[in-house]
Structures are given as C-alpha cells and as structure tokens.
Amino acid sequence: MTSRPRIVLFGPFDRHNLGDLLFAQVLRALLPKRDLSYAGLARRDLRAFGGVATHALSELIQDQAPLHLIHAGGETLSCEAWEAAAMLLPPEDARAAAARYGMATPDEQKHWAQTQLSIDLRAPYVLPKHLFHRPGVFVHNAVGGVALTQRDLDFQTEVTASLSSADFVGVRDQISHATLAQLGISAVLMPDAAVMVQNLFGARIALHAQTGEAARVRAACAGGYIAAQFSLDFADAATQRALAATLDQLHLQTGFTIVLFRAGAAPLHDDLAMYRALAARMHHTPLIFESLQVWDICALIAHSRLFCGSSLHGRIVALAYSLPRVSVLPPTFVPGQTSKIAAMIDTWEPDHRATLAEVSGLAHTAQLAFALALASQQALAASLCAHYQASFRQWQALLE
C-alpha cells in the first residue's frame, strides 16, 4: 500500500511573532489526525514560547518523500528573501543587514539572501512545486501581499509563476485578491487563520490567564487595563513623546492601567528597551508585560478592556474575543499607501474603519471603539470563524 504524503506546514515559525506562531497552532488543531511537520527558512525550536520546531527549507527541498505543502499564512506574497533572512539574524546584525541591503540592488539582495538561506528565490514564502522531488498538493492558507504591486516586475513574475502551480490560493484581504486577479491568479478570499484563536484555544488561554504573569497583571489591575503594543517603528524621540502623551490621556479618560506588551520579539519587531523609555516619559506608570509565551500574550489581550497597537494579530486576537480595538499607524506610514491592517479592516471590519488611528488620535479613536456594540462584535467574530472554516474545508478536501 502506498503511504499518504506527509503534510508540511511552512511559514515564518522560526522567529518570534504572534501571528506566525498562531498559524501553526491553528492548523495543527484543525488537522488533528494527520502527521504534521513544520518548516521555516531556518532550523529553530520555539516550543518554549508556544511555537513549533522547524526544519529548514533548504533541508526540506532535498527530501525524496512525497509531501503536501501548506503555506500557513501571513504577509508572504510580497516578502523579499533578503528581508526574511535579516529577520533571522541576531538583533544588531539584523539592523545592520536591513540598513545595508535595504539600499542594495535586487541582484545584490538576492545574492546575499542566497548565501544566508541556501535557496535561489526572491519570494521565499511562495514556493513553486518544481523545487521538490515529489510534490503533492500545495496550499496558500489566507496569505496576504498588499505591497506586491510595489515590487518590481521580476519579483511579481516569480510570485505569479509559483502561485500558478498551487492547488489552492486563499488570500486574506481584498487588495491582495484584486492584485492576484490582475496577475491571472484565481484566489479565494478568506479571513486570517488567527480569527479561530478563541474558538479553538479558549480553554487553554483561560488557564494561562489564571497563572504566571497574566494572572499577576490581572490582580494588579483590578479596575481594568489596556493591552498596548508598539513596534520599533515608534522608537524615535518625537514619536515617543507623542505616544506617551496620548497614552497618559487614554489612562485619564478611562481609568484603566496601560500594560505594554510585545507581540513579536524577532529582530526589528517589538523591544523592551523602547517600552522602558516610553514608560519613563509617561506621567501614568504603565506595567510592562515581559512574557513571550504565545498563550500568555493571548491571555493578556483576552482579559483587557481594549487592545491598541500596531500588531495586526494583536488586533485579530482582540476581534476573536469581541473586544474593543484600535490599530495605530506608524509614523513612517506613507499617506496614500495601504497597510495590511487597513486592508484587513476594509475587507472584514468595514464598520470599524474609524478604529485605525495615527498616534495623535489614539485616545479619541479609543472612545469610538468603546462605543461599538458588544452584540455586533460577537456576531462579527462568529461569522469570520464560520467563513474561515468553510474555506479551510475547501483545501482540506484536496489532501484526502
């Protein structure tokens, strides 16, 4: 009897980022009877943080066994190989690589990425079947690429060719869906996999809320707290001053304690030193939540009165728990461009467009978020779970 191909979940599970770690967990929970393995661009083990242990893609390509490959999710369609390679370096090296190769030519970027990753691709999270010895079904599960049109023609051509060999392409926002249609790729519009977090892991998250750092925060903030997260894009002095002022205003308006947390500790994501500098500028004394365990982070958000921050998946976890949420644009955002957060809100939360703010408007926007009815929030969360499950079942059937 011929054995079934093994299923490999592929994504950036080799670095600490809330959404990427959740994708692997969601798919593992939805495919409980299948033997799964995990691959990233590097061999890493993030199980201590609630993640998974990954094989390196360069090793997987050498495997002679038949396999189905599931691209697990994320903003993968427009991710350049050199950017992905930089994210896998130690923080100081990552900053140096970003500064150097951000100004380099595409050929220089590709050559450096190839030396780091041992693969010859500019779009390393969009894999073509021809890379593998015995490829089976290839799936893209609720991926995104709002910046794909900003990439050069060669990059777009590579992505289009790789997607053309896939058996199922699911995208998580209308902009990515329209972009792929223009490139001749038929895709299914589906919500991000993290909308399933409360549905699948509510009991586990509740347990984490009762122990450890999440429990200590809840005890220290009996009057309620706001889960706040800001990436290193907010680290310059002027932005820090503005952010400190608006968080102080938010505390005065609500009476809730501000709790600063990291949604990702990968290089160039979130940083404790930045939070300490921000706290020193504030009149209100915020708490700084240090745990990087994914279920602790989810528990912190789930028991908050409001999520505010720059993390897309911080917002999505809040959405899954029907909580008020405000997304904050970084000061580096270029007017006229569309961020992945704006694309997601426009696609799945059009009634929440007013909950996307610049730093100066955060406190006012929070009041708008608090005013949204709980019943409508609960209905939205339930509908997105149902929509995701329907799309998941479409590609799951291809594996049988």
Side-chain angles (χ1 to χ4, degrees):
M1 180 185 297
T2 303
S3 62
R4 302 164 82 184
R6 65 180 173 130
I7 299 174
V8 178
L9 304 184
F10 173 62
F13 320 134
D14 44 16
R15 60 192 184 90
H16 189 284
N17 185 51
L18 176 61
D20 297 321
L21 299 184
L22 286 176
F23 298 150
Q25 296 292 355
V26 167
L27 292 180
R28 179 157 68 179
L30 291 174
L31 295 164
K33 298 180 180 179
R34 301 302 297 264
D35 183 21
L36 305 178
S37 57
Y38 307 90
L41 296 180
R43 176 184 284 270
R44 297 282 170 81
D45 188 348
L46 271 70
R47 285 176 291 185
F49 303 103
V52 296
T54 61
H55 300 282
L57 175 60
S58 57
E59 300 168 0
L60 188 67
I61 291 169
Q62 305 304 317
D63 198 324
Q64 301 289 326
L67 59 84
H68 298 317
L69 190 81
I70 315 301
H71 299 75
E75 197 70 1
T76 55
L77 301 180
S78 54
C79 180
E80 290 263 15
W82 75 268
E83 295 172 322
M87 291 289 186
L88 295 170
L89 296 173
E92 288 301 321
D93 294 339
R95 283 190 281 272
R100 177 176 179 182
Y101 291 101
M103 303 299 292
T105 67
D107 284 344
E108 291 170 333
Q109 292 170 343
K110 183 178 179 180
H111 175 73
W112 178 74
Q114 191 171 356
T115 66
Q116 297 294 307
L117 304 175
S118 301
I119 53 169
D120 185 19
L121 292 172
R122 285 188 61 193
Y125 292 116
V126 190
L127 301 180
K129 284 191 176 184
H130 68 71
L131 276 183
F132 298 85
H133 293 283
R134 299 176 66 186
V137 171
F138 273 36
V139 168
H140 292 264
N141 175 61
V143 298
V146 297
L148 183 56
T149 57
Q150 299 166 31
R151 302 305 190 197
D152 61 58
L153 182 58
D154 287 344
F155 185 94
Q156 292 184 41
T157 299
E158 179 184 311
V159 168
T160 303
S162 295
L163 291 177
S164 295
S165 70
D167 299 276
F168 179 95
V169 178
V171 294
R172 64 185 186 181
D173 66 84
Q174 293 172 339
I175 290 178
S176 300
H177 191 262
T179 298
L180 293 192
Q182 292 170 1
L183 296 173
I185 301 296
S186 178
V188 173
L189 185 62
M190 60 188 295
D192 186 283
V195 299
M196 296 295 297
V197 66
Q198 194 275 339
N199 184 294
L200 294 173
F201 308 114
R204 181 183 299 181
I205 292 168
L207 284 174
H208 277 259
Q210 296 168 17
T211 59
E213 193 171 1
R216 290 194 291 274
V217 166
R218 293 177 64 205
C221 305
Y225 65 87
I226 292 168
Q229 170 277 333
F230 304 95
S231 69
L232 280 168
D233 294 320
F234 296 80
D236 67 276
T239 301
Q240 290 264 295
R241 286 192 293 270
L243 192 54
T246 199
L247 289 174
D248 280 332
Q249 182 184 356
L250 186 57
H251 167 68
L252 288 173
Q253 286 179 184
T254 64
F256 300 144
T257 302
I258 307 297
V259 180
L260 301 168
F261 76 97
R262 289 171 291 173
L268 311 180
H269 279 58
D270 304 350
D271 184 75
L272 279 179
M274 189 195 88
Y275 284 159
R276 293 183 182 119
L278 174 62
R281 294 180 185 274
M282 294 174 62
H283 297 295
H284 163 64
T285 302
L287 298 182
I288 299 178
F289 186 84
E290 296 195 19
S291 176
L292 291 174
Q293 219 285 342
V294 66
W295 305 120
D296 287 348
I297 295 169
C298 289
L300 179 78
I301 298 170
H303 287 270
S304 69
R305 299 296 186 90
L306 171 78
F307 163 79
C308 68
S310 59
S311 165
L312 172 61
H313 288 93
R315 182 186 182 93
I316 291 175
V317 172
L319 186 162
Y321 277 87
S322 306
L323 294 172
R325 50 203 176 272
V326 172
S327 291
V328 186
L329 291 169
T332 53
F333 182 73
V334 178
Q337 290 185 356
T338 300
S339 70
K340 64 182 180 181
I341 295 179
M344 291 284 281
I345 293 171
D346 285 345
T347 303
W348 304 110
E349 306 178 74
D351 294 339
H352 293 65
R353 287 191 180 99
T355 62
L356 181 62
E358 295 182 348
V359 169
S360 60
L362 193 163
H364 171 70
T365 305
Q367 295 305 310
L368 300 178
F370 283 126
L372 293 167
L374 175 61
S376 66
Q377 303 277 26
Q378 292 171 330
L380 174 62
S383 70
L384 293 184
C385 283
H387 192 152
Y388 177 81
Q389 288 172 298
S391 300
F392 164 79
R393 285 192 291 268
Q394 282 185 255
W395 65 254
Q396 181 190 26
L398 301 176
L399 305 180
E400 304 305 325

